[in-house]
Amino acid sequence: MANTLERNAATHVWHDLHVGSDAPTLINAVVTIPQHSKVKYMLDKKSGLLKVDKVLMSASVYPHNFGFIPRTMKDDGEPVEILIMTQVSVVPMSIIRAKPIGIVRILDQGDKDDKVVAVCADDPEFKDYNDLSELPAHRLAEIRGFFQDYKKLEGRTVTVEEMEGTEGGVRAVKDGMDLYTTMVVRDLQG
């Protein structure tokens, strides 16, 4: 993970961690929620630390490690979110090398809330997958089911519209990198 940080002072993982020299096809991701957790942690954008957002009301747990991609931004001003498939639960705030293999297109209360799906590039069980279409049907159903159900008891309507392969995931990372550069870097310089 050479050249992951831009400076030696206190860091903010969203702004100071490099997305990776091979982005958007191989990226650094920051884990915020470990696999099998019922606690939803979020990045506190001001401090760069994690904060507890909530404990899930449903019986669901996160099926895989979940986090965000540094130096990316979605239209809602948040970093691009990513579900990272690994064999094991990873400690929050860990940097993990991830290979995007698709995207889940989601509407949350009518608002776009897409999630990139990736595999850990250093996990022997998952690293050879290159597209969502290569995953077992059960794995895809598990991902779809989690995102459709995890907010139901809160009275929220979440719709998984579709799941796209690698091209969609890579495009979302690239678009997120471009928007971050346009919005955040301009603000930091201004």
Side-chain angles (χ1 to χ4, degrees), residues 1 9 23 48 64 72 78-79 82 84 86 97 100 103 127 152 157 171 187 190:
M1 276 194 252
H64 299 285
T72 62
E78 298 292 325
I82 185 167
I84 310 134
T86 65
R97 289 185 336 126
I103 191 165
K127 70 179 184 176
K152 266 187 187 170
T157 304
R171 185 174 48 252
D187 290 347

Side-chain angles (χ1 to χ4, degrees), residues 64-139:
H64 299 285
N65 296 289
F66 189 80
F68 68 91
I69 303 166
R71 295 189 182 185
T72 62
M73 181 181 280
K74 300 186 299 183
D75 292 334
D76 64 2
E78 298 292 325
V80 174
E81 296 171 300
I82 185 167
L83 186 75
I84 310 134
M85 302 175 76
T86 65
Q87 297 178 62
V88 295
S89 178
V90 175
V91 176
M93 296 302 273
S94 295
I95 302 166
I96 190 168
R97 289 185 336 126
K99 178 173 61 170
I101 63 166
I103 191 165
V104 182
R105 302 277 181 202
I106 298 172
L107 286 180
D108 184 347
Q109 298 289 102
D111 295 324
K112 181 178 168 183
D113 194 21
D114 298 344
K115 317 291 187 202
V116 172
V117 178
V119 295
C120 174
D122 301 305
D123 186 320
E125 183 174 329
F126 288 97
K127 70 179 184 176
D128 294 326
Y129 287 109
N130 295 300
D131 192 89
L132 279 179
S133 65
E134 298 171 1
L135 294 175
H138 172 76
R139 192 72 74 173

Side-chain angles (χ1 to χ4, degrees), residues 13-59:
V13 292
W14 185 19
H15 302 301
D16 297 327
L17 180 64
H18 195 275
V19 69
S21 58
D22 294 321
T25 57
L26 182 64
I27 57 177
N28 290 320
V30 177
V31 173
T32 55
I33 305 168
Q35 180 175 316
H36 302 134
S37 178
K38 282 186 63 97
V39 179
K40 182 182 180 210
Y41 302 96
M42 290 184 62
L43 175 69
D44 179 74
K45 292 190 292 187
K46 184 175 180 180
S47 69
L49 299 173
L50 291 183
K51 64 181 177 182
V52 174
D53 180 49
K54 63 185 166 189
V55 176
L56 299 183
M57 292 178 67
S58 72

